[in-house]
Amino acid sequence: MEQKRRTRTWCGFLLLLVLLAVFLIWNLFAGSVQLSASQIGQILLGGGDDLTQKQIIMQIRLPRMASALILGGALSVSGYLLQTFFHNPIAGPFVLGISSGAKLAVSIVMIVFLSRGVKSSSALLIGAAFVGAMLAMGLILLISQYVDQMSLLVVCGVMIGYICSALTDFLVTFADDSNIVNLHNWSNGSFSGMKWENVTTMAWACGTALILTFFLSKPIRAYQLGEVYARNMGVPIKAFRAALILLSSVLSACVTAFAGPISFVGIALPHLMKALFKTAEPLLLIPASFLGGGIFCLACDLIARMAFAPTEVSISSVTAVFGAPVVIYMMVRRKAGRE
């Protein structure tokens, strides 16, 4: 039995790595400018004489690919932490209104700075998104004191998301016409326009949060078996819950700050990884969720860029098309299992 489990684990990670390599290469070649394998190879090795081709690969495609991988993985891990916290299979940053709260805060900052002709920094956007995410999460936790059923709590999270989205639209209405386009493009969600400076910032922020998440693997495993069991195992429940909230908020805030709100990745991918590995072990699911989320966003970004080229589709629209059926299937399967 143990040998079978190890084999499944190795095969699962091997499959993820193969898919990651496939979509990285595919994204590298896909675009309005067609480049051969030899040309791309020369550019990656520091050669190549065409400056335009170098810029396309090194300054446009590679940063975009790195952003999709990092932010997609961060969003998936954030969803895994929230599902663990709420013991709810459809908990996620987008459904619970956390992404919408971050979106509202970033919109306020962008409108204030853009109206004054000042460019906002990456650190400021992350900070604003984190504050907005924490405020939305705080409202959910406050409501949870009066609501016992998790299904009602999820509905409350959806309502909070609608309120934040409505306030964001209200703010955009009074923004300058020249700034509305930027806000609209950002609010639709996209990995375009990423620079290496953005990649470095998100890598540090998300990487730190992921490392801290690994340190919580044992408490998460105990918490999955019940709060009473975790307390008996010596897990400080209040501190543990606060850590889960902070880490999930940081991860989802980074995504919203850089790429805008992206839907369904945080809900669907943790379940796909659980189905692939047939386990809920945090030490396996945390890296698996990160890889799965990154692969999923790389694939969706490829579709967003190429499906209706030269028109680019919102990344959130693509993730919803492929992520929502996974959530529906998961809910139907759980309902059938109970019956």
Side-chain angles (χ1 to χ4, degrees):
M1 186 68 179
E2 181 66 20
Q3 183 63 32
K4 185 178 180 180
R5 187 181 68 83
R6 289 181 179 179
T7 302
R8 177 181 290 275
T9 300
W10 282 107
C11 291
F13 278 110
L14 181 60
L15 175 62
L16 291 178
L17 291 175
V18 170
L19 289 175
L20 177 61
V22 168
F23 283 108
L24 283 175
I25 295 172
W26 199 346
N27 274 268
L28 195 60
F29 278 86
S32 57
V33 178
Q34 299 296 324
L35 299 175
S36 65
S38 61
Q39 289 174 322
I40 293 177
Q42 288 179 356
I43 293 172
L44 293 178
L45 294 175
D49 299 325
D50 194 317
L51 294 179
T52 301
Q53 293 178 355
K54 280 187 176 182
Q55 187 175 20
I56 290 173
I57 296 297
M58 302 304 297
Q59 302 300 326
I60 297 178
R61 293 184 186 177
L62 282 179
R64 181 166 185 158
M65 291 161 51
S67 301
L69 177 61
I70 295 171
L71 297 181
L75 198 56
S76 180
V77 174
S78 176
Y80 172 74
L81 294 178
L82 290 173
Q83 290 170 10
T84 300
F85 178 83
F86 286 102
H87 293 291
N88 193 306
I90 61 171
F94 192 82
V95 171
L96 293 175
I98 298 173
S99 294
S100 297
K103 173 184 174 182
L104 174 61
V106 173
S107 297
I108 294 173
V109 171
M110 290 182 69
I111 289 173
V112 171
F113 277 75
L114 288 174
S115 63
R116 298 181 180 180
V118 180
K119 184 178 179 181
S120 54
S121 64
S122 299
L124 180 61
L125 291 180
I126 293 177
F130 177 72
V131 171
M134 288 300 297
L135 289 175
M137 176 63 85
L139 283 174
I140 295 170
L141 294 177
L142 181 63
I143 295 172
S144 68
Q145 303 297 320
Y146 306 97
V147 176
D148 295 329
Q149 296 182 5
M150 283 298 179
S151 58
L152 293 178
L153 188 61
V154 171
V155 172
C156 291
V158 173
M159 294 301 104
I160 291 173
Y162 275 119
I163 293 172
C164 291
S165 296
L167 290 175
T168 302
D169 293 338
F170 180 78
L171 290 172
V172 171
T173 302
F174 292 95
D176 296 335
D177 292 340
S178 59
N179 298 329
I180 290 178
V181 175
N182 292 330
L183 289 169
H184 178 72
N185 292 338
W186 171 83
S187 64
N188 284 335
S190 176
F191 295 117
S192 64
M194 294 294 181
K195 299 179 180 179
W196 284 116
E197 293 82 3
N198 303 133
V199 175
T200 301
T201 303
M202 69 179 68
W204 275 105
C206 296
T208 302
L210 287 170
I211 291 172
L212 294 175
T213 302
F214 268 107
F215 285 114
L216 292 178
S217 295
K218 288 186 178 180
I220 289 174
R221 183 57 177 160
Y223 190 76
Q224 288 174 337
L225 299 176
E227 184 177 323
V228 175
Y229 177 82
R231 186 178 287 109
N232 291 336
M233 293 297 292
V235 177
I237 297 300
K238 290 185 177 180
F240 171 73
R241 285 180 166 180
L244 285 186
I245 293 171
L246 288 172
L247 291 173
S248 62
S249 297
V250 167
L251 291 170
S252 59
C254 283
V255 178
T256 306
F258 285 107
I262 300 177
S263 59
F264 288 100
V265 178
I267 308 175
L269 266 297
H271 290 289
L272 288 177
M273 295 303 102
K274 289 177 184 177
L276 176 63
F277 288 91
K278 301 294 183 181
T279 182
E281 177 62 43
L283 279 174
L284 294 178
L285 285 184
I286 291 172
S289 295
F290 182 83
L291 286 174
I295 293 167
F296 184 73
C297 282
L298 281 170
C300 290
D301 188 47
L302 182 66
I303 295 172
R305 288 193 294 122
M306 303 305 297
F308 301 100
T311 302
E312 184 172 322
V313 183
S314 164
I315 185 64
S316 190
S317 300
V318 181
T319 56
V321 168
F322 292 98
V326 175
V327 179
I328 294 172
Y329 172 76
M330 177 269 300
M331 294 176 64
V332 172
R333 186 178 179 182
R334 283 175 60 88
K335 180 68 175 178
R338 289 177 180 176
E339 295 176 351

